[in-house]
Amino acid sequence: MSASKTKFRIWAQGATDKAGHRSYLSKLLPHMQASIDPEFEVEFHTTTPSVTTLHALSEFRFSREVIRSAIRAEREHYDVFFMNHFQDVGLYEARASVNIPVLGLGETSLLHACTLGRRLGLLAINHAFITTHADQVLRYGLQQRVAGIRAVNATMADWMEAFESAEKKAELEQVFVREARRLMDMGADVIVPTGGIPMMLFGEPGANVDGAPIVNGVTVVVKAAEMAVKLRRLGASATSRVPHSGFALPDEKTLDEFINHG
């Protein structure tokens, strides 16, 4: 690290906003700060309007935010970028747009979970996301490692209330455990909540369902971001830029057209 640079900077991009998700952010942000090593600093960026509807258009809108934010992060000299949104929308496009490492909560959580057991069970916050997560499993080549995908099927209001009400949290946790056990009956031995919200509610240190660990991907992606920076300093290989990888960097014209018209 140069004398003029006191800390490595991590840009964390959320799909949440300070108003509608304040109860969640009040737990998420201190957790992120407590997770980082002293030589790093993490700055969490919200999205307004946030992603609160269960529709493909909302996800598409956020993907644009992810790409533009990754470009801005590089230009403002951040060392690494990650999105705190399990669906990983815009992940590949952002990775193809900048030279700094780009991570997604979903990909990072799933790949780490593969080191904890043989087969994963994905537990979504709503049934609407099951198809999206199935697509992710295919994209990351994890078909043989995922036993199944189920959902708690609660509303965003339910999830936010659970951060403030012990009774509501217990109600959702009962459903969470029931669905996790159904995934275990299908062969899962690791439970992956598919979002920062259930990760922060049910992924406390040592959390498990009948011995199956519950992955808190928020912790994982923060530490993976640090590792990406440290590996880069050690000269580890960077992102593939060969044309058929899909991660070749854009030329100046392509980048300018996206920034000004995308």
Side-chain angles (χ1 to χ4, degrees), residues 5 7-11 13 41 43 45 68-81 98 100:
K5 185 167 188 175
K7 288 181 182 290
F8 294 107
R9 302 171 71 198
I10 302 172
W11 180 304
Q13 182 61 52
E41 60 183 12
E43 298 176 29
H45 297 255
R68 296 179 74 86
S69 293
I71 294 169
R72 180 181 163 195
E74 181 176 55
R75 291 182 172 184
E76 295 183 10
H77 307 295
Y78 285 78
D79 297 284
V80 60
F81 173 96
V98 296
I100 61 173

Side-chain angles (χ1 to χ4, degrees), residues 220-234:
V220 173
V221 76
V222 168
K223 303 313 286 186
E226 293 180 351
M227 184 174 70
V229 173
K230 291 180 178 180
L231 285 172
R232 219 174 167 189
R233 292 184 69 209
L234 292 171

Side-chain angles (χ1 to χ4, degrees), residues 60-170:
F60 182 79
R61 175 173 61 83
F62 181 62
S63 70
R64 180 177 178 274
E65 181 75 11
V66 167
I67 302 163
R68 296 179 74 86
S69 293
I71 294 169
R72 180 181 163 195
E74 181 176 55
R75 291 182 172 184
E76 295 183 10
H77 307 295
Y78 285 78
D79 297 284
V80 60
F81 173 96
F82 75 80
M83 80 171 89
N84 194 57
H85 187 62
F86 197 93
Q87 286 83 334
D88 287 346
V89 292
L91 173 64
Y92 282 5
E93 293 79 6
R95 194 172 284 163
S97 301
V98 296
N99 264 315
I100 61 173
V102 174
L103 305 174
L105 178 63
E107 182 184 48
T108 305
S109 299
L110 290 170
L111 295 181
H112 172 74
C114 286
T115 71
L116 305 180
R118 292 183 180 274
R119 301 194 74 197
L120 317 181
L122 279 58
L123 199 38
I125 65 172
N126 190 284
H127 283 125
F129 290 122
I130 288 179
T131 299
T132 300
H133 299 324
D135 288 344
Q136 287 178 273
V137 170
L138 291 171
R139 187 190 321 154
Y140 303 143
L142 297 175
Q143 299 93 312
Q144 300 303 314
R145 300 297 299 272
V146 173
I149 308 171
R150 297 191 65 85
V152 173
N153 203 37
T155 66
M156 188 58 65
D158 291 331
W159 288 109
M160 290 304 103
E161 184 182 349
F163 283 101
E164 299 178 342
S165 165
E167 182 179 356
K168 189 65 175 181
K169 180 181 177 181

